[in-house]
């Protein structure tokens, strides 16, 4: 079986790798460089807390692959299971945290509830005015700059063709499958996997499947190197006015995001930029998480084009209109942790016709039913 994968972010490159590992002939097509879009703009968060509950089986599957990533891909992609600390700053956040902890248990996710004595002892300097926290010890972070190129290189070693810097001029169903016309020629295959991110809805629309999606860009930044003291990823249970997230890498820099609205992005050309005018507000929002940010220099800011589906959930699974077409796009800013699991799951679905991971809530049919 031959498969065309449209889109070379983490979802696409992981899919190409797992498809090739199953012995399928794969061609991955990317308009820029692999990993240069939403993936490289990601914060690098590998978290399961706060997720939509039916998404947890996929998140568990993905975490098991993150643990194997270095051995599987032949390079260190800086997966660090340092834990995920999520702070509480008020009664709304406290209720949200406790509700999630109770609900997530049957789905296989156990979170520790910490009081502030625990937080101050284990994580000094973090969230001094918080009233509590949850901690997920097996979660952590990875390097967004490394993971997609690593999957692409591993897929290529298994025989996949990685075609970069090509414009997709048309995508059509044929008697034998699909043909993609690009600026570098025509590519044909029996199966088409749409992993085009924010552009995924445009591909789906060509086959009569409308998905309400917006392209937006997060505001991300990184500080100068500081003494390495903050091990876990730090976030917030929201609703009480404090927002944002941060983590410190081993080199000492603190990577941060959130706290301000994501900017709108035009899909053509799809370039997202950080807004310098928002940086001071963003840092003020982050100070309750880490007051030490008041005394550091910011050395770089960036953004990237992400696809946000109207209901906040990704589109995954087979097309509802076209045999041989599959979708995995619209991860709405929370696809980084899921990436390896999605690639493995989509390869399983394409190769054997079914998957052990539940997909019902993510099928594209949910929008077709709404439209009717």
């Amino acid at each position: 079986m031959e498969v065309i994968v449209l889109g070379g972010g983490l979802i696409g490159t992981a899919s190409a790798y797992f498809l090739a590992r199953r012995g399928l002939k794969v061609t991955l097509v990317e308009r820029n460089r692999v990993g240069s879009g939403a993936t490289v703009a990601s914060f690098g968060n590998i978290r399961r807390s706060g997720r939509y509950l039916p998404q947890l089986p996929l998140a568990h599957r993905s975490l098991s692959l993150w643990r194997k990533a270095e051995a599987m891909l032949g390079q260190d992609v800086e997966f660090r299971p340092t834990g995920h600390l999520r702070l509480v700053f008020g009664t709304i956040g406290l209720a949200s945290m406790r509700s999630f902890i109770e609900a997530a248990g049957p789905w296989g996710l156990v979170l520790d509830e910490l009081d502030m004595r625990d937080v101050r002892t284990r994580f000094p300097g973090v969230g001094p005015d918080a009233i509590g926290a949850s901690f997920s010890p097996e979660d952590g972070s990875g390097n967004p700059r490394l993971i997609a190129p690593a999957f692409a290189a591993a897929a290529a070693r298994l025989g996949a063709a990685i075609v970069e810097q090509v414009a997709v001029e048309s995508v059509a169903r044929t008697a034998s499958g699909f043909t993609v016309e690009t600026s570098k020629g025509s590519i044909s295959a029996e199966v088409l996997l749409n992993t085009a991110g924010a552009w995924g809805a445009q591909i789906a629309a060509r086959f009569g499947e409308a998905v309400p999606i917006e392209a937006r860009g997060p505001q991300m930044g990184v500080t100068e190197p500081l003494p390495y003291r903050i091990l876990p990823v730090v976030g917030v249970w929201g609703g009480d006015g404090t927002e944002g997230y941060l983590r410190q890498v081993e080199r000492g820099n603190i990577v941060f995001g959130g706290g301000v609205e994501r900017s709108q992005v035009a899909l053509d050309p799809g370039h997202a930029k950080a807004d310098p005018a928002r940086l001071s507000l963003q840092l003020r929002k982050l100070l309750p998480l880490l007051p030490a940010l008041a005394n550091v220099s910011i050395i770089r800011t960036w953004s990237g084009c992400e696809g946000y589906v109207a209901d906040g959930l990704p589109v995954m699974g087979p097309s509802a209109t076209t045999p041989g077409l599959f979708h995995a796009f619209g991860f709405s800013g929370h696809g980084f942790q899921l990436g390896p699991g999605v690639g493995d799951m989509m390869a399983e679905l394409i190769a054997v016709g079914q998957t052990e991971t539940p997909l019902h809530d993510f099928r594209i049919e949910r929008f077709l039913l709404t439209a009717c």
Side-chain angles (χ1 to χ4, degrees):
M1 186 186 298
E2 298 184 2
V3 183
I4 299 170
V5 179
L6 277 184
L10 173 52
I11 305 296
T13 55
S15 298
Y17 169 77
F18 287 109
L19 285 163
R21 200 167 78 165
R22 286 179 175 269
L24 281 68
K25 185 176 180 181
V26 182
T27 302
L28 182 146
V29 179
E30 166 54 40
R31 67 200 297 259
N32 294 309
R33 292 286 190 183
V34 294
S36 62
T39 299
V40 79
S42 171
F43 174 66
N45 201 358
I46 298 175
R47 67 157 178 90
R48 291 169 297 162
S49 65
R51 285 198 176 274
Y52 178 65
L53 292 172
Q55 201 175 71
L56 284 174
L58 177 58
H60 297 328
R61 180 173 184 165
S62 199
L63 181 60
S64 71
L65 293 167
W66 276 106
R67 293 185 184 121
K68 304 171 187 174
E70 183 172 357
M72 187 171 62
L73 302 178
Q75 73 174 85
D76 179 13
V77 294
E78 297 184 6
F79 168 60
R80 301 292 185 264
T82 53
H84 187 270
L85 180 71
R86 201 162 184 180
L87 299 167
V88 173
F89 286 91
T91 56
I92 296 174
L94 185 64
S96 178
M97 178 189 72
R98 288 177 173 168
S99 175
F100 183 84
I101 289 174
E102 182 179 0
W107 291 88
L109 176 60
V110 177
L111 300 180
D112 302 326
E113 181 177 345
L114 308 181
D115 61 29
M116 282 316 298
R117 181 166 49 187
D118 296 326
V119 174
R120 293 186 184 103
T121 300
R122 297 174 61 178
F123 313 111
V126 173
D129 295 325
I131 64 171
S134 67
F135 187 62
S136 180
E138 296 180 349
D139 291 333
S141 64
N143 191 325
R145 293 183 171 274
L146 300 178
I147 187 63
F151 265 120
R157 291 194 294 270
L158 293 172
I162 310 298
V163 183
E164 300 177 281
Q165 295 185 303
V166 295
V168 174
E169 297 166 353
S170 67
V171 181
R173 185 82 167 91
T174 67
S176 58
F178 299 86
T179 295
V180 176
E181 298 291 344
T182 79
S183 55
K184 293 185 179 180
S186 178
I187 305 169
S188 297
E190 300 165 64
V191 173
L192 178 66
L193 174 56
N194 171 19
T195 62
W199 293 265
Q202 293 182 344
I203 303 300
R206 299 185 189 203
F207 298 94
E209 299 178 295
V211 175
I213 194 171
E214 289 186 350
R216 292 189 173 273
Q219 177 130 330
M220 309 300 300
V222 63
T223 73
E224 62 182 321
L226 302 169
Y228 183 49
R229 294 173 180 167
I230 305 169
L231 269 64
V233 178
V234 182
V236 178
W237 289 99
D240 297 300
T242 301
E243 303 172 31
Y245 42 84
L246 58 88
R247 63 185 177 92
Q248 187 172 27
V249 302
E250 293 165 359
R251 294 173 290 279
N253 311 79
I254 294 175
V255 183
F256 61 87
V260 292
E261 288 292 323
R262 295 172 174 87
S263 59
Q264 292 187 326
V265 181
L267 285 178
D268 185 13
H271 297 155
K273 297 180 180 180
D275 182 358
R278 297 183 180 188
L279 183 57
S280 59
L281 172 61
Q282 184 177 36
L283 290 172
R284 287 198 300 272
K285 290 279 190 176
L286 289 166
L287 287 178
L289 280 68
L290 187 66
L293 284 175
N295 302 312
V296 301
S297 297
I298 308 303
I299 61 173
R300 185 167 66 91
T301 60
W302 68 93
S303 187
C305 185
E306 298 178 331
Y308 288 81
V309 179
D311 62 6
L313 301 177
V315 175
M316 295 183 286
S319 165
T321 64
T322 309
L325 172 63
F326 295 82
H327 302 294
F329 70 90
F331 285 83
S332 305
H334 56 253
F336 187 79
Q337 191 275 348
L338 298 175
V342 175
D344 190 29
M345 177 189 66
M346 295 307 299
E348 179 187 29
L349 184 61
I350 290 168
V352 304
Q354 60 185 7
T355 175
E356 63 185 32
T357 302
L359 277 179
H360 179 273
D361 288 14
F362 312 109
R363 298 177 303 171
I364 201 165
E365 287 96 323
R366 69 189 194 265
F367 299 113
L368 301 181
L369 293 172
T370 300
C372 292

